[in-house]
Amino acid sequence: MDKQEELDALAILIHDLRKYKKLTLAQLAQKIERSVGFLSQVERGLSRPTVADLTAISHALDVPTTYFYSLSKPKAVAWVTRPNERRTVYYANGITDILVSPSMQGAFSILDSLLEPGANSGEQTMSDRAEQAGYVLEGHLTLWVEGEADAVTLGPGDSFHLASFAHCRYGNLTDLRPACCGSTTKAHQGASPVKSHSSTLLAEVRTFRQNHPDVRYVDLIALDIPGRFYGKRYPVEMLEKVAAGSPLKLPQNAVLLGAQGGLFKIGDYCFHDATPTPTAAWCPARSSR
């Protein structure tokens, strides 16, 4: 894809997600503190959002920022990416982010960020639900972190690690072009990371698959607040992806009930392939083969 095609794909993701969340342009614009006209241009592929803009949009629409890298490209090897297979987002103000990770289904995602001379993430500080870490390969990267008296400039070989929801902004104040490779650890939309919960669920799922290698399908049962059960049947391979954070989508008012009694908040998930089936029938575990 060229830059315009990438911009058009990003515009579609934002527009469709806003519609899915049942927000008007005016409502979303108010949430991100930008004009309706600007947001309309972004959704039509006429304007590029800054890093801060896209972070604000992701928060307003209740998804991780990495959601907007979800446009997949065909890969020869599922766990390897080549330069021509990677999803790229071109921001306003001279910043380009390339998704280096083969997928976003693991505990973290790796980005290759390129900052042109004078590039910056935006005038406003941004706060991401994910932990942010980076390693400067070349040039210089300046970070402004809320609570710190002075900005910090990093050079080649320097690294940083910011906690979830840290307020910051960054830029390249030099005439050099730094390339910063950052690892983004997925975190929950609340104050504490999801990792402690999802890792427990993932371990339980892997144990289940080892103990029951002949099981081909699983019935996913969800209970909403009024006490109604919803269910979907999925290939067992998808169960591990869900436990690792894959964007399987479930009703927002539901929780996941682990086989050993643990409760897991749904967060950003909802059914991605169809609406849930209400009043799902209970089935013994071995009947889902």
Side-chain angles (χ1 to χ4, degrees), residues 18 31 59 93 119 127 134 141 144 165 185 198 226 230 249 253:
R18 176 181 63 79
K31 286 177 176 288
H59 285 188
N93 298 352
S127 172
L141 176 71
W144 292 266
F165 300 100
T185 303
S198 62
Y230 295 80
K249 298 195 177 266
N253 60 347

Side-chain angles (χ1 to χ4, degrees), residues 39-73:
L39 184 58
S40 175
Q41 288 187 318
V42 168
E43 289 196 357
R44 288 181 289 149
L46 302 178
S47 293
R48 295 187 184 280
T50 64
V51 178
D53 289 331
L54 196 60
T55 302
I57 290 171
S58 70
H59 285 188
L61 297 178
D62 198 27
V63 295
T65 309
T66 48
Y67 172 87
F68 297 106
Y69 294 86
S70 62
L71 182 64
S72 61
K73 294 185 177 182

Side-chain angles (χ1 to χ4, degrees), residues 107 193-206 243-245 264:
V194 158
K195 186 176 180 182
S196 60
H197 299 290
S198 62
S199 60
T200 301
L201 181 59
L202 183 57
E204 183 179 333
V205 167
R206 287 175 175 170
F264 303 88

Side-chain angles (χ1 to χ4, degrees), residues 31-110:
K31 286 177 176 288
I32 66 172
E33 299 181 348
R34 295 301 300 264
S35 70
V36 173
F38 169 75
L39 184 58
S40 175
Q41 288 187 318
V42 168
E43 289 196 357
R44 288 181 289 149
L46 302 178
S47 293
R48 295 187 184 280
T50 64
V51 178
D53 289 331
L54 196 60
T55 302
I57 290 171
S58 70
H59 285 188
L61 297 178
D62 198 27
V63 295
T65 309
T66 48
Y67 172 87
F68 297 106
Y69 294 86
S70 62
L71 182 64
S72 61
K73 294 185 177 182
K75 295 185 289 291
V77 182
W79 46 274
V80 173
T81 58
R82 311 293 185 187
N84 64 340
E85 299 171 341
R86 294 170 182 161
R87 173 81 168 105
T88 302
V89 175
Y90 300 94
Y91 293 101
N93 298 352
I95 294 180
T96 301
D97 278 352
I98 303 169
L99 182 65
V100 179
S101 300
S103 73
M104 294 177 294
Q105 297 171 0
F108 62 90
S109 301
I110 303 175

Side-chain angles (χ1 to χ4, degrees), residues 208 215 217-222 229-234 257 259 277-289:
F208 173 81
V215 172
Y217 298 92
V218 293
D219 291 329
L220 183 60
I221 306 297
F229 287 100
Y230 295 80
K232 294 290 287 187
R233 177 161 291 187
Y234 290 100
L257 177 62
T277 304
T279 321
W282 287 95
C283 304
R286 290 193 172 274
S287 68
S288 298
R289 293 181 183 176

Side-chain angles (χ1 to χ4, degrees), residues 78 112 141 145 255 285:
D112 185 8
L141 176 71
V145 180
V255 294

Side-chain angles (χ1 to χ4, degrees), residues 127-133 145 160-168 187 193:
S127 172
D128 201 298
R129 71 184 64 188
E131 296 177 37
Q132 304 290 329
V145 180
F160 66 90
H161 185 182
L162 300 177
S164 302
F165 300 100
H167 289 262
C168 68

